[in-house]
Amino acid sequence: MKELTKSEKSILIGLFLSKFDKEGLNYFGLSTFTEAFNLFSYILDTTPSTIKNYRDEFDPYFPNNRKGWRNREMKAYCRPIYDIFSSLSLSDFYNTIGSLLELDMYKEILNETTEENQPLSAQKRLVTGLAAEHYFKSNYRLIPEFQSHTLKDTTLFGCGYDFELAHSHENMYFVEVKGLSSQNGNIMLTQKEYYMAERLLDRYCLFVVKNFREKVNHSYYFNPLSSIGNFHRTERVVIQVNYSVKI
C-alpha cells in the first residue's frame, strides 16, 4: 500500500468513524466522537472539524442516525479512499490505521497512564499518548521557559522522557508528556521516568494534556516529584513464556 498523504489519512479516519460508528469508537476505547475528533486531529496536525466533516462525507453510505452530506455526490478526492478501504472489516481497518499512524512504535505508553482508577484499553492509551505528544510539539513555546529552546524528539529512545529542549548545554530541559481523556485523572511514571525526574529535579518537566473528551488544555510541573508529590510505588509481576529445543 502506498503511503497516504496527511489529508488522505484524515479522510481514512473519517471513513472509519462513519462506517463503524459507535462500534469504531469502542474499538479505540473512546466514549464520544468529540474525543475522537480531538485525538486524531492532533495526531494528523489538522482540525477536529476536518475529521468530523470527513465522517459526515461518508455517512450517506452507511446505516447510522446522522444525515451527513446527502444532497450532493461524494467529493472526488474522497472516492479513492472509499473504494480502497470501505470493504475492510473492523479489525483490518483498525490495523490499517495503526500501521499508517505508526501506533506500534508507541507501545511503551501502554503501562503509563490510568484515569479515574479504571484501566484504559490499549488502543486508547496509544492514541491518547500520541495525540498528547503532538499537542506538546505544537504548543511547547507557550511555556515561558521553553520559548527560546530547540526541541528534540526522544520518544522512541526509551530514556525516561519524551523531549529534550536545549538553549545551551547548561540550559536544558527534559519533558515527559502524558495525556488524559478527562480533566482529572491519575498519572503514572515508569521506573525510568521516576529515576530521571529524581535525578534532573527542576530540569525535568511533566507536561499533561487534559480533557480530550471536550476542550483540550494542559498543565505542566517542573520537578514533579516535589511540586506534585505523593507518587505511590506499585509493582507488577510479568510472566514471560519461552519455548526452547535442544538441537
Side-chain angles (χ1 to χ4, degrees):
M1 181 176 62
K2 75 177 183 69
E3 177 67 21
L4 298 184
T5 65
K6 181 180 70 174
S7 177
E8 289 172 332
K9 291 177 182 178
S10 298
I11 297 170
L12 184 68
I13 296 297
L15 176 61
F16 176 88
L17 295 174
S18 179
K19 177 176 181 178
F20 297 108
D21 201 43
K22 293 182 179 178
E23 186 181 10
L25 290 179
N26 292 336
Y27 206 80
F28 272 101
L30 307 179
S31 56
T32 67
F33 280 109
T34 298
E35 185 177 13
F37 301 151
N38 285 333
L39 288 169
F40 288 115
S41 67
Y42 279 109
I43 292 174
L44 294 172
D45 191 26
T46 185
T47 65
S49 61
T50 296
I51 304 296
K52 178 186 182 299
N53 287 340
Y54 285 136
R55 182 205 64 180
D56 296 348
E57 183 75 26
F58 296 111
D59 276 345
Y61 301 88
F62 300 104
N64 56 61
N65 294 323
R66 297 180 301 274
K67 294 182 178 180
W69 301 102
R70 295 183 184 275
N71 296 324
R72 60 166 173 76
E73 293 293 323
M74 182 188 303
K75 291 181 178 178
Y77 58 81
C78 294
R79 173 62 68 176
I81 299 297
Y82 178 87
D83 291 342
I84 295 171
F85 297 102
S86 63
S87 62
L88 291 180
S89 67
L90 177 57
S91 60
D92 287 343
F93 212 134
Y94 168 78
N95 289 333
T96 298
I97 291 174
S99 176
L100 290 172
L101 301 184
E102 300 180 332
L103 294 182
D104 288 345
M105 299 175 67
Y106 292 84
K107 285 185 176 178
E108 71 273 9
I109 70 172
L110 291 181
N111 298 321
E112 295 179 357
T113 307
T114 59
E115 297 182 41
E116 301 168 357
N117 299 317
Q118 297 179 0
L120 297 177
S121 70
Q123 293 92 331
K124 182 174 184 176
R125 295 186 191 186
L126 285 170
V127 294
T128 303
L130 186 55
E133 290 167 5
H134 280 265
Y135 176 98
F136 176 77
K137 287 190 284 187
S138 298
N139 293 280
Y140 75 93
R141 292 193 184 277
L142 296 176
I143 312 303
E145 290 85 349
F146 299 160
Q147 288 179 356
S148 60
H149 285 57
T150 301
L151 182 72
K152 178 181 179 181
D153 189 333
T154 59
T155 51
L156 300 181
F157 297 165
C159 48
Y161 49 84
D162 293 317
F163 299 95
E164 293 179 3
L165 290 110
H167 181 60
S168 65
H169 182 68
E170 294 79 18
N171 188 12
M172 293 183 65
Y173 292 101
F174 305 86
V175 181
E176 175 61 27
V177 178
K178 304 291 185 182
L180 295 173
S181 288
S182 56
Q183 187 62 30
N184 299 293
N186 297 327
I187 295 295
M188 295 179 66
L189 298 179
T190 65
Q191 186 174 7
K192 182 173 288 187
E193 291 162 2
Y194 190 92
Y195 169 77
M196 295 305 295
E198 213 172 25
R199 178 182 178 186
L200 294 168
L201 300 176
D202 290 333
R203 292 190 296 153
Y204 193 94
C205 176
L206 177 61
F207 188 94
V208 184
V209 187
K210 305 177 179 181
N211 207 18
F212 281 106
R213 288 178 185 164
E214 297 177 7
K215 187 175 181 180
V216 184
N217 60 89
H218 66 265
S219 298
Y220 58 94
Y221 311 88
F222 290 96
N223 193 1
L225 302 189
S226 176
S227 60
I228 302 176
N230 297 321
F231 280 85
H232 301 288
R233 177 186 174 94
T234 58
E235 294 187 9
R236 182 176 60 178
V237 177
V238 178
I239 299 176
Q240 181 174 341
V241 178
N242 297 309
Y243 297 87
S244 63
V245 62
K246 185 176 181 180
I247 57 175

